Structure formats: C-alpha cells, structure tokens
DNA sequence: CTAGGGTGTTACCGGTCTGTAACTTTCAGA
DNA sequence: TCTGAAAGTTACAGACCGGTAACACCCTAG
C-alpha cells in the first residue's frame, strides 16, 4: 500500500499534513474528510478525536501554513544577517519561486475566496495571519531604509497576491511572468526617492 | 412574496441573473441549483430545460459577467472619445470603485480558485476572457502613448487582481486601500520614461 | 376553439457529505 | 504480563447534492 505521507508519524500529524496538501490542490470544499483520512492512512473517527470539526481542521491547517511561511522569514535573516535590503531582494526571489510550476496560489487567500460565510472561524485567522505578514514586510522595507515603507510593502503585497491568483486564471505565462521585473523596479524607484 | 429578480422576464434570464448574483455572494460550490431556482421564482426542471448542467450554467454566468465588463470599456470610449490617456485614468477610477463596499472580488478569478479540476469547462472561458481583458488594457496603454505598454498593463492588472483578493482576506482597509495612489503613480512613472 | 410549446409540481434516484455510536484491535509502559 | 489509552473498523444517521421522470397547467398563435 502506498501512503504519500510518512508512515511513522502520529495520526494527528499525518492528517494535518495530508489535509494541507489536499486543501491546497483541490480546495477546501473540494475534498471531504473521508478522502483526507484515507490518504493519511487512517480513518474518520481518529480525525474527529483530534479535531472538533472539519472547520477546525481547516483552521489548524491555515495556522500550520502560516507557521511554515514564518520560518521563511527566519531564513532571510539567517542568510543575510543585518542586511535588510538583501533580505528584501531575497523576499522577491522567494516570491517568484511561488509563481513557478503549477502552484495553486496562496492557501489563505484561496480559503478567503472559498469560505464565504462571514462568521466562518477560518476568516479570523486568515485576517490575523495576513495582517502579520503585512507588518513583517512593512518592517523589512522600513529597516531597509525606504522612505514610504508602508506604500512599497502594500504595493509588493498586492503584486504578489495578484500574481498568485492570476496564475490560476491564465497560467504562468500571463502577467505574473513579469513579477520579478515589476518588484525590482519598484524597489529601485522607492529607493531613489 | 418577494423575488429579488424582475418578475416579468423569462425564466431563463431570471435564472441567469439570479445565479450570477448568488455565485458571486456565496461561491459556486456554496450554492445549489435548488436555491437558485427558488430565488429566481422558478423550479429545477425549468433550469435543466435551459442549461445542460450546473457546470454549463456557471459557464453562461461567466460569459454574462464578461459581457457586462465589456460594456464598461465602451463607456470609456463614449465618455472620452479618442482620448486614450483619459480612458486609462477612467479605468483606474472604475477599478477603484470595485474595491469599495463589500464586494467579493472578481467572479472569474474566484471561479478559477474554486474550480480546481483542470478540465472543468469554465476554465477555458476564464482564460479566454481574462486574456481578452489583458489585451484591451495593453492596447489602451499603447494607444495612450506609453512605451512599455505591456509591462504597465500587466502591472496594473496584477495590482487590481491583488487588491480584489486582498479585500476578501483583510478587508477594504488593507493594502487595497492604496490602489489608486499606486496605479496613478505607476502611470506617471511610465509616462516619464 | 384548439393545438402545442413553455412552464410548474411532485416525487424520486443515486451519490456524497459531515458527524456519531459501538465495538475491536494494537501497543507501549508499569 | 497486565492494563489502559490510542487507534482502527463497521455501520449508520440525517442532510444535501445534481439530475430525471411523469404529469398537470397555462397561455398564446393559428
């Protein structure tokens, strides 16, 4: 029997990891708990012993995704200690990697599109985590010595968000193909002010 | 009895209009055909006499949405005949209006996020219609006398796409609030080259 | 007045979904 | 070796889904 996920980890971890992957690939409403547990090599009862509901599982998946993203920021600091401008360029580079291949975009943005109920528990965490990422990018721009740090950070955010959703509509050869050029020339232009 | 949609139109038109509205508000997978027909003041059999399947209804809705969007471009030309630069600024203005209130973003981009199956009939039309819009914007930039018309058009596209999805994650007070400023300063900068 | 197409109504099919109950198996630690 | 918690198994409930069949109705064109 094959089992996409490491066999010797605990069921809860396997469920979480498998759910992240399947939600990303097929969307949240596009995959049922049965499919997740089967792919994780376990069963539905075990899932419901660890997670109150599918909605709670979604929330945990988003938190896990955000935690992974957070680790990338540590990488920037580790790779270019103290050099905030280099870290900003590393951000652009890392962002562009998210645009290659057949990625299905940002899990949090996708979840926000899919979960239309205003009071869905996931909406809280999506907003929190997106705002946290925004503040990190603003701080990075500011510490890199850029004057209008908020404006540059927000512009870069929208460009990346747009590129990731554009890819899903028209593919990687669409407008998102120019992301790096746009971002770099924006940074240069803001630095020159 | 109330009935959101004009009573004295033909069932097919009422279904199409109601479906557009409900797909936009609740997502495609978030609304069933029963709910659509009931809101349209008709019944499921009538829907299936006019549309082969729900998927085909989705396709027709997207086409209708694109047709509406296409009419906006005619408005630009009518309002500023021959003045392509004014039309470009009108585009920015119109785009910013899409970012106010509680809009749920672009129906086509949302559909692309929601419909993950690679061979879903809607994916074809989404790509076609998005590419058509892109070419329109490129032509507008070029005719407005901008040198790197493709790059400006793609940048503006990504900014708008990003703003519309960002709104769904963090609301209208997030990065999308600066859209007009970003777009206008981009246009100015491209014009200066 | 009548014929016929568009529409409404009701009931149903088979499938899928989230979530639960009751029971059995496994396995690590004392 | 014994115990107890975690995990697996099977079956099921109740709701909803897309889609269809059969039949009654209305209303307009001839």
């Amino acid at each position: 029997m094959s089992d996409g996920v490491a066999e010797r980890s605990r069921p809860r971890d396997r469920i979480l990891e498998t759910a992240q992957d399947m939600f990303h690939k097929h969307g949240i409403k596009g995959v049922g708990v049965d499919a997740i547990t089967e792919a994780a090599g376990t069963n539905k009862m075990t899932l419901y012993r660890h997670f109150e509901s599918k909605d709670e599982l979604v929330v945990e998946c988003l938190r896990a995704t955000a935690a992974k993203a957070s680790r990338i920021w540590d990488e920037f600091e580790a790779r270019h200690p103290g050099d905030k401008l280099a870290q900003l360029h590393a951000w652009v580079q890392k962002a562009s990697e998210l645009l290659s291949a057949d990625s299905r975009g940002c899990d949090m943005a996708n979840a926000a599109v899919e979960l239309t109920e205003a009071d869905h528990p996931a909406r809280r965490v999506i907003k929190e985590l997106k705002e946290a990422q925004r503040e990190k990018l603003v701080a990075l721009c500011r510490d890199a010595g850029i004057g209008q740090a908020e404006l540059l950070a927000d512009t870069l955010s929208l460009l990346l968000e747009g590129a990731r959703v554009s890819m899903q509509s028209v593919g990687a050869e669409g407008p998102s193909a120019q992301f790096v050029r746009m971002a770099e020339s924006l940074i240069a232009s803001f630095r020159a002010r």
Side-chain angles (χ1 to χ4, degrees), chain A:
Chain A
M1 299 295 155
S2 72
D3 53 354
V5 172
E7 189 54 72
R8 281 301 108 194
S9 53
R10 297 169 123 181
R12 187 181 196 280
D13 298 330
R14 293 193 325 247
I15 290 170
L16 208 50
E17 199 169 334
T18 307
Q20 276 183 262
D21 182 56
M22 295 186 74
F23 286 153
H24 177 78
K25 282 181 187 153
H26 310 296
I28 292 168
K29 296 193 179 170
V31 53
V33 291
D34 274 316
I36 292 171
T37 55
E38 189 188 335
T42 177
N43 55 75
K44 198 157 49 168
M45 271 314 303
T46 300
L47 186 150
Y48 281 104
R49 285 188 191 110
H50 289 288
F51 304 94
E52 273 192 6
S53 63
K54 183 184 178 182
D55 285 347
E56 272 307 309
L57 173 61
V58 170
V59 166
E60 289 307 310
C61 282
L62 292 177
R63 284 195 209 280
T65 301
K68 280 185 191 169
S70 187
R71 255 169 265 142
I72 295 178
W73 288 81
D74 301 338
E75 239 180 69
F76 296 156
E77 179 61 39
R79 195 113 54 174
H80 308 281
D83 188 348
K84 296 297 180 180
L85 187 60
Q87 289 179 34
L88 184 55
H89 285 114
W91 181 90
V92 173
Q93 175 61 29
K94 195 74 183 179
S96 80
E97 288 169 18
L98 297 175
L99 301 176
S100 56
D102 52 344
S103 164
R104 271 203 65 250
C106 172
D107 289 342
M108 280 188 289
N110 290 357
V113 168
E114 233 180 323
L115 307 175
T116 62
E117 305 97 339
D119 60 343
H120 193 289
R123 299 201 74 84
R124 263 190 69 104
V125 309
I126 292 169
K127 191 172 183 189
E128 284 174 12
L129 298 173
K130 277 284 179 188
E131 281 171 351
Q133 287 187 6
R134 182 194 188 188
E135 280 173 25
K136 276 188 187 175
L137 190 57
V138 169
L140 185 53
C141 289
R142 191 185 311 114
D143 296 346
I146 281 147
Q148 304 185 72
E150 289 88 357
L151 188 57
L152 175 57
D154 285 350
T155 310
L156 291 175
S157 292
L158 292 193
L159 277 182
L160 177 56
E161 201 89 86
R164 297 188 83 177
V165 64
S166 166
M167 277 194 52
Q168 298 180 64
S169 300
V170 297
E173 290 78 28
S176 66
Q178 306 297 323
F179 171 79
V180 173
R181 210 212 292 198
M182 298 171 187
E184 288 297 350
S185 92
L186 258 174
I187 294 171
S189 141
F190 270 75
R191 294 228 305 148
R193 292 184 196 178

